[in-house]
DNA sequence: CGCGTTTGACCGGCGC
DNA sequence: GCGCCGGTCAAACGCG
């Protein structure tokens, strides 16, 4: 029961991190990525705060456990700080390169990427077990249902019913291989404020998309991130259904995640991009022997790319992690 | 009776 | 140009 209380408080902290940081720091560009950095970094703390297995344990044992967990959190905090330092160095190097060594060809690539990002009507797909019954907090109105080729399960079409003429659509379909898995695909951006539950989901999904868009700098066909930290509780894949259609980021909540506190420091890179190769963010540990067209990035590279796109992210990231770690430790103190 | 769901028709994009 | 397929529309239907 105490674990549930702690979890609830942590979720409140998550919400606080998403909202208050947004207001205080005036995030006007790509807020989703910053919000979700807070959200996901919190999940690191949350994963570290697993409640006691039995609520009949001696209070003394609980105190000792909490103290151990607090020590682990401190270590994690140190890891995060060292990560920031590394990010800062990468950022400085990248910025220096951008300012001093941008050739006309590179400038064109950057311009193309910006155009590509603005033009793509990207979608975010969430795979989850149906028993999880993940509500997204929005009100949806069903406007169609269709049997799609290759899947006997019908695909339901919903549009957001919360705002006036909200352009957001979602599709819900059961997986053909495993009917216990429900695939929910979101498309478009809400033109209205979201309730907290919806905002958390939107933060996660949109940041996954932003991560992809900011990280897919080498190929528009296939790229893979190895990123245990930003998506510690899920894995994600992105693909282009066809060469000209929009990319789809898939967050896979059906796979277990482990070793979420490990910070990969090296990247394993392979080539051979293909037109339909998946782009994936996997929960750590990464299966490096995967598809031949994969290309892996460590967390630092991903964050560096994001910071390069938006330098103000650095300060926000620092503030968010400091806030989250502080809040997590406060919660621990409250339970002591 | 109002609102949401169902379901067949319709439309547009894409590949051959 | 034709057919396939995914997505959307809108009338019919059901439920509270």
């Amino acid at each position: 029961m105490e674990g549930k209380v702690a979890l609830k408080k942590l979720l409140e902290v998550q919400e606080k991190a998403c909202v208050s940081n947004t207001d205080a720091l005036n995030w006007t560009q790509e807020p989703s990525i910053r919000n979700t950095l807070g959200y996901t970094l919190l999940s690191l703390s949350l994963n570290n705060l697993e409640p006691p297995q039995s609520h009949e344990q001696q209070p003394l044992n609980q105190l000792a456990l909490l103290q151990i967990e607090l020590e682990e959190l401190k270590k994690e905090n140190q890891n995060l700080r060292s990560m920031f330092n590394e990010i800062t160095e990468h950022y400085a190097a990248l910025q220096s390169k951008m300012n001093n060594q941008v050739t006309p060809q590179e400038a064109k690539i950057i311009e193309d990427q910006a155009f590509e990002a603005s033009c793509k009507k990207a979608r975010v797909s969430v795979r989850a077990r149906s028993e999880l019954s993940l509500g997204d907090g929005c009100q949806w109105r069903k406007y169609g249902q269709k049997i799609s080729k290759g899947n006997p399960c019908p695909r339901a079409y919903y549009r957001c019913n919360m705002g006036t003429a909200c352009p957001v659509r979602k599709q819900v379909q059961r997986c053909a291989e495993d009917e216990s898995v429900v695939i929910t695909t979101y498309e478009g951006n809400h033109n209205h404020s979201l309730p907290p539950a919806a905002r958390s989901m939107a933060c996660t999904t949109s940041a996954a998309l932003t991560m992809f868009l900011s990280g897919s700098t080498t190929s528009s066909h296939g790229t893979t991130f190895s990123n245990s930290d930003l998506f510690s509780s899920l894995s994600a894949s992105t693909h282009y259904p066809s060469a000209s259609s929009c990319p789809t980021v898939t967050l896979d909540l059906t796979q277990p995640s482990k070793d979420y506190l490990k910070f990969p420091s090296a990247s394993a890179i392979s080539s051979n991009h293909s037109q339909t190769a998946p782009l994936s963010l996997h929960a750590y540990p990464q299966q490096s022997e995967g598809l031949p067209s994969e290309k892996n990035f460590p967390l630092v590279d991903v964050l560096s790319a994001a910071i390069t796109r938006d330098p103000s992210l650095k300060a926000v990231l620092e503030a968010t992690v400091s806030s989250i770690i502080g809040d997590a430790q406060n919660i621990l103190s409250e339970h002591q």
Side-chain angles (χ1 to χ4, degrees):
Chain A
M1 186 57 73
E2 284 187 20
K4 288 186 177 178
V5 174
L7 181 61
K8 185 179 178 183
K9 291 214 170 200
L10 282 166
L11 289 174
E12 290 172 358
V13 172
Q14 164 203 329
E15 184 59 28
K16 178 184 173 184
C18 283
V19 177
S20 63
N21 286 337
T22 303
D23 296 336
L25 298 172
N26 189 24
W27 299 348
T28 56
Q29 296 178 351
E30 300 185 22
S32 59
I33 186 172
R34 301 168 205 167
N35 287 347
T36 307
L37 280 171
Y39 169 66
T40 313
L41 286 167
L42 171 67
S43 71
L44 292 174
S45 304
L46 191 150
N47 285 331
N48 232 12
L49 284 173
E50 290 186 0
Q53 295 301 312
S54 169
H55 49 74
E56 295 175 357
Q57 281 184 295
Q58 298 290 331
L60 209 58
N61 291 341
Q62 291 183 6
L63 177 62
L65 281 174
L66 288 171
Q67 285 177 336
I68 293 172
E69 289 169 355
L70 181 59
E71 287 301 315
E72 289 178 355
L73 271 180
K74 287 179 180 177
K75 290 178 183 176
E76 181 193 345
N77 197 4
Q78 288 180 344
N79 283 334
L80 288 168
R81 289 185 191 283
S82 63
M83 185 178 70
F84 284 140
N85 293 334
E86 197 170 350
I87 291 169
T88 302
E89 292 173 7
H90 278 252
Y91 169 61
L94 284 169
Q95 191 175 44
S96 173
K97 183 179 179 180
M98 290 290 291
N99 291 338
N100 301 326
Q101 300 177 10
V102 175
T103 66
Q105 290 175 338
E106 289 172 325
K108 186 177 187 310
I109 291 172
I110 294 169
E111 187 179 350
D112 289 345
Q113 287 169 359
F115 175 77
E116 195 177 37
S118 64
C119 290
K120 281 174 183 171
K121 191 179 180 181
R123 302 194 292 187
V124 178
S125 179
V126 179
R127 287 169 54 94
R129 298 276 171 194
S130 57
E131 58 265 32
L132 290 177
S133 63
L134 286 173
D136 48 29
C138 280
Q139 294 175 356
W140 300 95
R141 179 185 174 88
K142 190 175 184 178
Y143 66 90
Q145 182 167 304
K146 199 79 172 176
I147 300 285
S148 57
K149 189 180 181 183
N151 191 339
C153 303
R155 175 185 295 169
Y157 299 89
Y158 298 85
R159 58 166 60 97
C160 181
N161 208 20
M162 291 191 71
T164 54
C166 179
V168 174
R169 304 269 201 277
K170 88 168 179 180
Q171 301 172 6
V172 179
Q173 186 175 34
R174 291 191 178 274
C175 181
E177 291 80 16
D178 184 357
E179 294 191 6
S180 67
V181 174
V182 176
I183 303 170
T184 307
T185 303
Y186 298 88
E187 181 178 319
N189 296 316
H190 292 280
N191 61 2
H192 53 87
S193 61
L194 294 173
R199 197 182 306 136
S200 297
M201 175 66 80
C203 281
T204 303
T205 54
S206 60
L209 178 60
T210 307
M211 274 300 183
F212 156 63
L213 291 174
S214 66
S216 60
T217 56
T218 57
S219 168
S220 62
H221 305 139
T223 309
T224 297
F225 300 97
S226 174
N227 189 335
S228 66
D229 312 298
L230 291 179
F231 296 92
S232 59
S233 61
L234 50 85
S235 66
S237 65
T238 302
H239 68 281
Y240 294 94
S242 67
S244 58
S245 61
C246 60
T248 300
V249 178
T250 301
L251 305 181
D252 193 343
L253 304 181
T254 64
Q255 298 177 8
S257 110
K258 299 172 183 175
D259 299 340
Y260 35 73
L261 289 180
K262 293 181 180 178
F263 293 90
S265 58
S267 60
I269 298 175
S270 60
S271 56
N272 295 332
H273 297 150
S274 67
Q275 191 73 14
T276 57
L279 182 154
S280 304
L281 281 100
H282 293 290
Y284 194 86
Q286 167 79 16
Q287 292 182 349
S288 58
E289 69 277 13
L291 297 172
S293 56
E294 290 184 345
K295 185 169 186 175
N296 300 330
F297 294 86
L299 167 69
V300 168
D301 287 351
V302 177
L303 286 178
S304 297
I307 289 173
T308 300
R309 286 171 60 89
D310 187 352
S312 62
L313 171 62
K314 190 183 102 174
V316 174
L317 189 56
E318 290 174 347
T320 302
V321 171
S322 298
S323 169
I324 289 167
I325 298 301
D327 285 332
Q329 290 179 341
N330 288 338
I331 290 170
L332 269 181
S333 301
E334 288 177 10
H335 282 263
Q336 283 183 350

